[in-house]
Amino acid sequence: MEPFSAVEVIRAKRDGLRLTDAQVDWVVDAYTRGVVAEEQMSALAMAVYLNGMDTDETARWTAAMVDSGEVLDLRTDRPTVDKHSTGGVGDKITLPLAPLVAACGAAVPQLSGRGLGHTGGTLDKLEAVPGWRARLSTDEIVAQLADVGAVVCAATEGLAPADRKLYALRDVTGTVESIPLIASSIMSKKIAEGADALVLDVKFGSGAFMKTVDDARALARALVGIGVSRGLRISALLTDMSVPLGRAVGNAVEVAESVEVLRGGGPEDVVELTVALAREMLALAGLPEVDPARVLASGRAYEVWARMIRAQGGDPDAPLPAPGHVHVVPAPATGVLTGLDAYAVGVAAWRLGAGRARKEDPVQAAAGILCLAKPGDPVVAGEPLLELHTDTPEAVPAALAALEGAVSVADSAPTRGPLVLEVVRG
């Protein structure tokens, strides 16, 4: 006989009570086993959304989700450090960051996901590389970490199954935007990966999940608090996502831009954020004396990238997929570009085929957008401003509709805040 009923747990949270450790452990386990029905967990998720969970309650919920599956042991003779981003537009940072930190002496097990809606997925981007495969066994992950120092792949099936099930439910019940549930979802997977340290990139702005700095800060503090409760070395950077990162948004186009960065070039904002995250990761890994900017400029990070791609069946020298159709969007006026809304660009790229509306939808490797100018750049009316890449030309009108009102031009350059606003440390 079950020690609790789902209804009593739902009522407790509905009435604003703190769930006991025993209630949390039971309801997460029972939901994973199918004892708690989907409609009951929907009601509980809504009660959590409306009434929240305190720090200890959230930490216990996270631990219960970790305990629903396996915990990996990815230790090598190097210190292990991971990174997680809350998602954005043009956020290809994992691609140059993982090989860079590995080239600096740490091991980086980056278990990543796929895109949904206007935010891109790391695995979708890397699958634009001919032959590259996302699914690895635990033994393959450990062997690649020991040999190459970096692996970017899909999470194993046994990792936090309670979170995988609950995440899908939250997505269709209007309960995604709950900070305790977001924090426990992110941290349960990261804790189950078994890394020694974790750096979080918590984004704010139109293209981010958290639109305001205050909400992003609250999420960062919740994430760091969970990590500290588990003895994890952890910190979080609050970063601006009001305009796309870099100039490429999509799949193959973001891989190409990442390779530019690894070869010592690339857009300044991508390089800045890559190096900032690398510095924080190396500090937590016990390697603060290594200068990632110097390592990036030396080309050693690109060598690790090529080895990482080859280790997963890919060809780093193969041409990336090219789009069947390119549509050029001209600048609407002459002056200085003052606005390029990240959310609008992300939705447009999604409609071109770079993203998906449902998890089972396919994506186009060549789909995406190239931003030929960024805020602060001069533009001339009628000259190319954006390139829309797609294999389905019939998708262009919907992408153009998403971009309506996304671009603004003025006589003078805008004043922009810092890319990295602050760091929250454990």
Side-chain angles (χ1 to χ4, degrees):
M1 183 176 176
E2 299 288 338
F4 298 100
S5 74
V7 173
E8 69 180 285
V9 177
I10 294 166
R11 283 175 176 156
K13 184 47 65 179
R14 180 200 66 187
D15 294 341
L17 301 178
R18 183 195 183 281
L19 298 183
T20 67
D21 290 351
Q23 285 176 321
V24 169
D25 293 345
W26 175 80
V27 78
V28 172
D29 175 65
Y31 175 60
T32 307
R33 292 185 286 116
V35 172
V36 173
E38 294 289 337
E39 63 270 19
Q40 291 174 316
M41 186 54 92
S42 296
L44 180 58
M46 184 59 74
V48 171
Y49 174 85
L50 294 172
N51 293 318
M53 290 195 287
D54 66 25
T55 301
D56 292 340
E57 204 176 358
T58 305
R60 189 71 179 206
W61 187 278
T62 306
M65 292 205 295
V66 172
D67 292 341
S68 72
E70 63 181 341
V71 176
L72 304 182
D73 183 357
L74 302 181
R75 287 172 293 183
T76 70
D77 58 356
R78 305 184 187 201
T80 306
V81 59
D82 192 8
K83 165 258 182 188
H84 176 82
S85 167
T86 56
V89 178
D91 182 12
K92 74 278 297 171
I93 299 298
T94 289
L95 278 63
L97 180 64
L100 171 59
V101 175
C104 292
V108 186
Q110 184 74 60
L111 275 58
S112 298
R114 300 190 180 279
L116 192 64
H118 77 282
T119 59
T122 299
L123 301 183
D124 298 325
K125 296 166 190 177
L126 282 167
E127 282 180 340
V129 177
W132 185 88
R133 63 188 178 100
R135 295 221 160 270
L136 301 179
S137 68
T138 301
D139 288 345
E140 286 175 317
I141 294 171
V142 172
Q144 186 171 322
L145 275 178
D147 180 40
V148 179
V151 59
V152 182
C153 66
T156 60
E157 286 298 320
L159 209 70
D163 174 67
R164 185 164 55 250
K165 192 175 179 182
L166 181 57
Y167 187 92
L169 183 71
R170 289 167 52 217
D171 197 41
V172 296
T173 56
T175 54
V176 168
E177 298 90 348
S178 162
I179 286 179
L181 293 179
I182 296 168
S184 59
S185 174
I186 291 170
M187 292 303 296
S188 63
K189 294 189 288 283
K190 290 301 174 182
I191 291 166
E193 286 178 19
D196 300 320
L198 174 65
V199 174
L200 300 150
D201 180 0
V202 181
K203 299 188 177 299
F204 62 89
S206 71
F209 188 70
M210 313 307 285
K211 304 302 181 187
T212 70
V213 172
D214 287 344
D215 284 347
R217 186 180 291 113
L219 176 58
R221 288 173 176 167
L223 291 163
V224 170
I226 293 170
V228 169
S229 75
R230 299 284 300 207
L232 196 63
R233 297 194 297 278
I234 186 168
S235 61
L237 277 65
L238 300 186
T239 68
D240 186 5
M241 182 37 69
S242 55
V243 301
L245 260 172
R247 295 179 180 271
V249 178
N251 296 316
V253 288
E254 290 197 37
V255 174
E257 187 166 88
S258 299
V259 170
E260 287 180 30
V261 172
L262 286 161
R263 290 186 180 277
E268 289 181 8
D269 56 348
V270 178
V271 174
E272 178 186 347
L273 186 52
T274 300
V275 170
L277 287 164
R279 283 204 173 100
E280 195 68 22
M281 291 171 73
L282 291 167
L284 293 185
L287 299 168
E289 73 285 354
V290 183
D291 182 1
R294 182 172 296 180
V295 173
L296 186 62
S298 74
R300 282 156 45 201
Y302 177 78
E303 294 170 7
V304 176
W305 159 266
R307 291 178 62 207
M308 182 180 78
I309 295 298
R310 289 192 184 98
Q312 291 174 240
D315 182 356
D317 301 317
L320 292 166
H325 179 77
V326 176
H327 180 91
V328 175
V329 177
T334 296
V336 177
L337 188 66
T338 54
L340 182 61
D341 184 70
Y343 177 75
V345 173
V347 171
W350 163 30
R351 291 180 176 175
L352 292 168
R356 53 174 64 80
R358 300 173 304 167
K359 289 185 178 181
E360 59 269 24
D361 291 346
V363 297
Q364 297 177 24
I369 296 176
L370 286 180
C371 306
L372 306 179
K374 294 284 291 290
D377 293 342
V379 295
V380 176
E383 292 294 310
L385 177 64
L386 303 171
E387 281 186 8
L388 311 187
H389 294 191
T390 185
D391 293 330
T392 49
E394 61 271 20
V396 169
L400 292 173
L403 290 168
E404 288 182 10
V407 174
S408 55
V409 178
D411 294 332
S412 58
T415 300
R416 290 209 56 204
L419 181 58
V420 179
L421 182 66
E422 63 184 75
V423 181
V424 177
R425 292 192 168 92

